[in-house]
Amino acid sequence: NWIALKMFFEPVTPVKILGLFEFQGMFLKRQSEVSIAFSEHLSKAVLTSQKMWGNMLLGSGGSSFFTLLRRNVPWFLPTALISSIFRSLKKVLPNTPGHDIHKYADTALAMKQTLIEKMELMTPQEFEGVLHPIFQEDELTLIIAGAVLGALAGAAQQAIGAKFEKKALEKEQAASAAASSDHLGAAAAAASSAASASSMEYKVASAVGEDEDLKPAKDQFGENQEGEEHTPQLH
């Protein structure tokens, strides 16, 4: 906010940067557009006939206005009559927005067009002197408000970032746990297959070993049978 406020009004006069770019306060560079917007606001919200009459009749200058009125009214009109008129004006004009006097005064004064013409003719220094004091009253408030809002936004961003980071870490841990479980399952399956294969090999080896052990006996039994066939029978 502080930088933005500086950029509104500084530099007052155009400054060349590297001989290529011209830099000037944003309000000052757009003096014509700002003059129109500023004059329109003033003529509608500040310098209206109703408010001017209210200030003249009810403000600190009320007594001066009555003195001016007495001085410019013909002498033969009594002061009591002028005082009565003054009291009537105080009751009616400040509290009646649509009064014919206000319509006439706004049209006759042409406040908006007058302000535009006068502001557009100001030098950059004069223009800055008119606008800057309006913002200076609230500059500290704007800067503090910007700092507080920036701090809140930063804290919220940090909290949201931490939350997403926590979720990402949980997902990563879950994925790691799932991968470890898959590896353990694969290892168990491989171990089971190896055990089954070893058991099968053992059974086959055992079967072959038993056959080898019985082979001599089988051979001997076969020879005995052949001898019996070739031995002549005695009667």
Side-chain angles (χ1 to χ4, degrees):
N1 284 358
W2 180 80
I3 294 174
L5 290 170
K6 288 292 183 182
M7 291 177 65
F8 283 156
F9 299 103
E10 295 181 14
V12 176
T13 55
V15 175
K16 287 281 188 179
I17 300 177
L18 301 177
L20 300 174
F21 305 100
E22 187 177 271
F23 186 70
Q24 188 181 13
M26 296 175 64
F27 279 172
L28 305 172
K29 189 174 183 179
R30 295 167 175 80
Q31 183 170 340
S32 179
E33 296 91 331
V34 174
S35 297
I36 294 172
F38 188 69
S39 300
E40 185 174 358
H41 173 72
L42 282 181
S43 62
K44 289 183 177 180
V46 181
L47 300 177
T48 63
S49 174
Q50 181 185 357
K51 290 189 176 183
M52 287 189 289
W53 276 107
N55 184 62
M56 289 188 295
L57 298 171
L58 304 175
S60 58
S63 58
S64 300
F65 180 73
F66 177 79
T67 302
L68 181 66
L69 188 64
R70 172 68 272 189
R71 186 185 306 135
N72 288 275
V73 171
W75 60 271
F76 55 83
L77 290 177
T79 301
L81 178 60
I82 296 174
S83 296
S84 177
I85 295 172
F86 185 73
R87 286 192 298 270
S88 297
L89 291 175
K90 289 173 67 174
K91 290 179 181 179
V92 174
L93 292 182
N95 304 310
T96 312
H99 199 282
D100 291 338
I101 291 181
H102 295 319
K103 294 179 182 179
Y104 171 77
D106 287 335
T107 303
L109 292 174
M111 191 62 69
K112 176 183 175 181
Q113 191 59 36
T114 302
L115 286 171
I116 291 173
E117 293 173 359
K118 296 299 182 181
M119 293 186 73
E120 287 181 343
L121 294 175
M122 290 179 179
T123 63
Q125 291 79 4
E126 292 172 339
F127 193 71
E128 191 269 344
V130 170
L131 290 182
H132 201 175
I134 300 173
F135 289 85
Q136 282 178 332
E137 296 180 1
D138 297 319
E139 277 186 359
L140 182 61
T141 302
L142 291 172
I143 293 171
I144 293 175
V148 172
L149 292 175
L152 291 176
Q157 184 179 4
Q158 186 175 5
I160 293 172
K163 185 176 180 180
F164 279 105
E165 185 177 354
K166 182 179 180 181
K167 287 185 177 180
L169 182 61
E170 290 176 352
K171 287 183 179 179
E172 185 178 351
Q173 291 176 346
S176 178
S180 299
S181 178
D182 292 341
H183 287 312
L184 290 174
S192 177
S193 298
S196 299
S198 299
S199 176
M200 183 64 68
E201 288 177 358
Y202 176 76
K203 291 180 179 180
V204 171
S206 298
V208 171
E210 289 178 358
D211 188 62
E212 291 294 331
D213 293 338
L214 293 174
K215 186 175 181 180
K218 289 180 179 179
D219 292 342
Q220 184 65 35
F221 180 75
E223 290 177 358
N224 291 337
Q225 283 187 339
E226 289 178 358
E228 289 178 357
E229 289 179 357
H230 293 287
T231 303
Q233 295 182 356
L234 297 176
H235 299 285

